[in-house]
Amino acid sequence: MTTTENLQRPPAELRWAEDLARLRAGDTAPRPPGWALSIDAAKRFIVGDPALGIERKFVGDASLIDRALVSLATTRGLLLTGEPGTAKSLLSELLSAAISGDSTLTIQGGAATTEDQIRYGWNYALLVSEGPSHRSIVPAPMLRGIREGKIVRFEELTRCPLEVQDSILSLLSDRVLAVPELSEMVYAVDGFNVIATANTRDRGVNDMSAALKRRFNFETVFPIPDLRTELALVESEATALLTRSGVPEAPPRDVLEVLVTTFRELRSGATDAGDSLDRMSAVMSTAEAVSVAHAVGLRGWYLRGEPGNAADIVECLAGTAAKDNPDDLARLRRYLEQQVPRKSGRAWKALHDARFQLPG
């Protein structure tokens, strides 16, 4: 069995292998053809099942999981859209692990993505010496997914050029992949489907063709609306990351509450009291909050031998705020100077006192 001990980020099927095994052992419900779990068991893997000791892995609308699973049981693909950092990729990984037991058939979309990375390529040494053959072909995720009856994940679909996106049209509509060099057609096995993700902020980078849109069911993943729920998620994820990084203690809860509240207010452009403020152009998502909380904990432990504090938040926020627009640093400074003094608590005071640590 593959160990996850030294892996920075093990895939879902390894990280939660015991949960999957427990669900498979007790899963007596009917399963869609080619699926490793029934729809009910797959849902419980994602949203949790306290009776079986299975933790919740995705914080969001449970009805979204129902619609996603039903969509993947059909011959239409699933496209998850939403703001960056709303756990679209995590959800696609969990769905793939539950349905196929394998979340690694992944295409990372981008400007440099080619058809070879999506469908199949060639071992050019063998191609030159033998010509096209089954030995010289190098299967990419789509060819493997079709052959093995597994879910294929296509991350950041809209970041690919339009002609590259449309290379999967026949796979989604006819469920077949042509290999003209071998005069073969590879027909999809039960269980094959595609989960794609697309950020709403990337809309217009390379918009999808109408033909490709018709091959997908669209589902929007929204940010977590509740402060307490988001705080609990950031705390648990940051604690897990810090443990893996050799840090025995996470930042105190009041420090994490300051961090999450700051992210929520800068993301929405309004304080909890209803005061309006300049909204950041940078992505102030839950995923970014987890990353900053991780950095705060690392900074406190490895620089001072203690848990991170609110002053560390300012240092770690600077890199987040300056990513896209230098004006965001000015917005962050105004927030620290004007809004933070209105809040009560020792952690908020420390955050305000550390505002001079911002660069510039």
Side-chain angles (χ1 to χ4, degrees):
M1 183 176 178
T2 305
T3 178
T4 63
E5 183 178 352
N6 296 318
L7 300 181
Q8 287 190 335
R9 192 189 182 285
E13 61 272 17
L14 295 183
R15 183 178 177 185
W16 292 294
E18 292 183 3
D19 286 1
L20 289 169
R22 203 175 303 132
L23 285 164
R24 279 194 294 266
D27 188 14
T28 58
R31 305 177 186 181
W35 283 35
L37 292 173
S38 66
I39 288 181
D40 176 67
K43 178 182 178 181
R44 286 186 284 130
F45 172 68
I46 296 170
V47 303
D49 185 345
L52 288 179
I54 294 173
E55 64 177 298
R56 184 173 188 170
K57 303 168 184 67
F58 174 78
V59 178
D61 185 5
S63 64
L64 166 64
I65 310 302
D66 289 335
R67 295 193 302 271
L69 288 165
V70 170
S71 176
L72 290 169
T74 71
T75 56
R76 294 172 69 89
L78 173 67
L79 182 66
L80 300 173
T81 68
E83 286 283 311
T86 50
K88 299 182 296 298
S89 295
L90 173 63
L91 180 54
S92 76
E93 182 182 3
L94 293 171
L95 289 166
S96 300
I99 294 169
S100 302
D102 185 357
S103 65
T104 62
L105 297 183
T106 306
I107 303 156
Q108 182 59 56
T113 304
T114 64
E115 284 192 39
D116 289 358
Q117 296 168 310
I118 297 172
R119 296 155 66 92
Y120 61 88
W122 298 96
N123 180 322
Y124 287 101
L126 287 173
L127 186 64
V128 170
S129 62
E130 298 179 359
S133 67
H134 289 101
R135 252 173 36 103
S136 59
I137 199 168
V138 178
M142 284 297 178
L143 179 54
R144 285 192 56 197
I146 278 182
R147 279 179 174 171
E148 300 170 20
K150 292 182 177 180
I151 298 291
V152 178
R153 300 167 54 209
F154 201 138
E155 296 292 320
E156 306 288 2
L157 174 63
T158 54
R159 297 202 65 82
C160 295
L162 190 60
E163 61 273 13
V164 174
Q165 295 179 31
D166 281 351
S167 68
I168 66 173
L169 273 173
S170 62
L171 308 181
L172 290 170
S173 56
D174 300 327
R175 321 302 275 187
V176 63
L177 191 155
V179 187
E181 297 88 347
L182 300 179
S183 301
E184 286 188 4
M185 304 287 277
V186 182
Y187 295 94
V189 174
D190 284 338
F192 166 72
N193 214 329
V194 176
I195 305 175
T197 64
N199 287 328
T200 50
R201 291 204 181 196
D202 290 339
R203 186 169 291 165
V205 174
N206 290 295
D207 202 6
M208 297 169 63
S209 67
L212 186 57
K213 288 179 180 178
R214 288 195 297 270
R215 270 72 177 180
F216 283 103
N217 286 334
F218 284 60
E219 291 291 346
T220 301
V221 184
F222 293 100
I224 299 171
D226 177 65
L227 170 63
R228 294 296 164 191
T229 302
E230 186 171 8
L231 174 59
L233 176 62
V234 170
E235 185 175 33
S236 63
E237 290 296 313
T239 300
L241 289 171
L242 288 167
T243 300
R244 188 171 288 275
S245 299
V247 179
E249 192 173 354
R253 188 174 178 84
D254 63 336
V255 172
L256 292 178
E257 184 170 359
V258 165
L259 170 63
V260 173
T261 302
T262 297
F263 265 73
R264 290 176 64 86
E265 293 186 345
L266 291 172
R267 179 170 69 220
S268 65
T271 67
D272 287 342
D275 298 326
S276 62
L277 48 86
D278 289 337
R279 184 178 179 182
M280 301 279 280
S281 63
V283 176
M284 305 298 286
S285 64
T286 305
E288 285 283 353
V290 171
S291 179
V292 171
H294 184 205
V296 166
L298 288 172
R299 183 181 175 83
W301 180 253
Y302 286 116
L303 292 185
R304 302 186 304 275
E306 62 186 32
N309 57 44
D312 292 316
I313 294 176
V314 176
E315 292 277 5
C316 297
L317 266 178
T320 297
K323 282 181 182 178
D324 300 319
N325 187 343
D327 292 339
D328 278 343
L329 273 177
R331 296 186 180 102
L332 178 57
R333 185 174 289 106
R334 284 195 296 272
Y335 176 79
L336 295 175
E337 292 175 349
Q338 299 172 12
Q339 300 298 332
V340 171
R342 303 179 184 181
K343 301 178 184 294
S344 60
R346 185 172 56 183
W348 283 110
K349 183 180 184 304
L351 185 70
H352 178 253
D353 292 343
R355 67 191 184 279
F356 300 108
Q357 297 173 12
L358 280 178

